[in-house]
Amino acid sequence: MLNRLINSVQNVDEALCHRSFMQAISVAMQQSVPILAIDIYCRLFFKLAISPDALLANIFYDYPIIPDSVSDQLMFIIQNLDVAVTMIFVIGLTYHYLTQKGIENTTLPIITNFIAIYMLLFAKNQSPTNTAIHYLLITLFTLLSCYTYYWYYRRLKIAVSPFSLKYLLWATTMISASLLLHVGLHLSSITTIISNLLSKNFFTTFSGLLLISILSPLLFIIGFSLPSELSSNQTSFNAMVSNLDKFLTHGLAPLPFPENLYSIYGAFTLFGGVGNTLTLNILLLFAVSKKYKRLGILSWIPSLFDNNYLLYAGLSMFLRPLMLVPMILVNITSMLISYVAIAGHIVQPAVFITPNNLPNMLLPTLASATPIRSTILAFLIFSISLLIYRPFLKRLTTEVTHEK
């Protein structure tokens, strides 16, 4: 049964990955890995040691106060690294897609897409945090631009300079389109709307938690920018605040919302990032392919602190069914096990607020009134996640070995 499912998923994955646009996306993502690694490690260092709410500052009472000038300077560097990650991906995608179509001179479309994406995401100095997570928006616009250029190139049917007036009109049109899209598209507003929806009591029910367990990996794999509530922090929700207040005032009395996004989704499905991908990282350390083993080593420390975007780019997880299916299975399984354990009073739900930027793997132990049982539950879910990912990842890495 499982083998049949994996075979079916692999067939769909191969059919999709053999398309020219997916090959171009995969190569472009992997080319961005070096600069993405620098970006992620700088961001991790900032979160652990430099930011006002740094983990080390929360743990050590006498931790020295970092001057604002140092903090601001490092944040400026990180924002520029975000831009560099995005632009290297856009350049690579434009080049590889058009060269596959037989276009040798890609200078103008590369410059055009560079300017257009910059205008789309960074105009008016409103650079979004972690721009690498806007893969869906970036990819759709870049592919649309490349397709229109290819269509225009074939329609002219005459050899003209790549910088002739006819091509410059195309470039102007695409840049103008990106400006119009920037004006009409408010990424922060979309994130705020999702955050407000997640605060509803529906997401303290079994149906709501199951929906989130399915949607979060789906949105992640298609490159949608997830709000922080689905990637790192659920402590601002009313359900979590109500639980903490009830526990502090009445001890182990029944909590108003024992099953919620913090106690179920946050505490048991974000080990290493969306979909418990820390387990995926561990499997990569033992991969046959040296390429993926190096990726596992490179992404190991960020995964410990719940940043899985090196895996996202290095494995080319964007629109990959071979990664989406096990990620959804892991999320659903983790949700079901933790829901039953909490609803059956086997463990107490996570109610305490842990220090900012602490690895999510420690959340069940530190945030629950039953730390030992919660730790055992986390270990059980972690082990099952390993078993689910293993056959899917084996197929993916075996493909690479055969290609070599």
Side-chain angles (χ1 to χ4, degrees), residues 240-255:
M240 189 274 167
V241 175
S242 298
N243 282 347
L244 180 59
D245 181 66
K246 184 65 176 290
F247 183 85
L248 293 177
T249 55
H250 296 89
L252 292 176
L255 300 176

Side-chain angles (χ1 to χ4, degrees), residues 6 9-10 13 320-326 392 395-396 399:
I6 297 174
V9 173
Q10 186 176 18
D13 189 85
R320 293 293 302 268
L322 206 52
M323 288 289 96
L324 173 60
V325 171
F392 289 91
R395 294 293 181 93
L396 188 148
E399 285 180 12

Side-chain angles (χ1 to χ4, degrees), residues 50-72:
I50 302 297
S51 69
D53 63 342
L55 178 61
L56 295 179
N58 288 322
I59 294 177
F60 299 106
Y61 180 76
D62 294 326
Y63 190 79
I65 298 175
I66 306 299
D68 290 341
S69 58
V70 175
S71 177
D72 293 342

Side-chain angles (χ1 to χ4, degrees), residues 132-202:
I133 63 181
H134 296 287
Y135 276 117
L136 179 62
L137 176 63
I138 296 168
T139 303
L140 288 178
F141 188 92
T142 304
L143 287 176
L144 175 64
S145 175
C146 291
Y147 179 79
T148 56
Y149 182 84
Y150 176 65
W151 177 86
Y152 196 56
Y153 175 86
R154 294 191 62 185
R155 189 173 178 83
L156 287 178
K157 296 181 180 179
I158 54 175
V160 296
S161 169
F163 292 94
S164 66
L165 180 60
K166 294 180 179 181
Y167 284 115
L168 292 178
L169 286 174
W170 166 83
T172 303
T173 301
M174 296 310 303
I175 294 173
S176 300
S178 73
L179 287 172
L180 290 173
L181 187 58
H182 174 81
V183 172
L185 184 66
H186 301 283
L187 295 174
S188 59
S189 299
I190 296 173
T191 302
T192 301
I193 291 172
I194 296 175
S195 298
N196 291 335
L197 287 174
L198 292 174
S199 65
K200 304 298 182 182
N201 286 345
F202 172 71

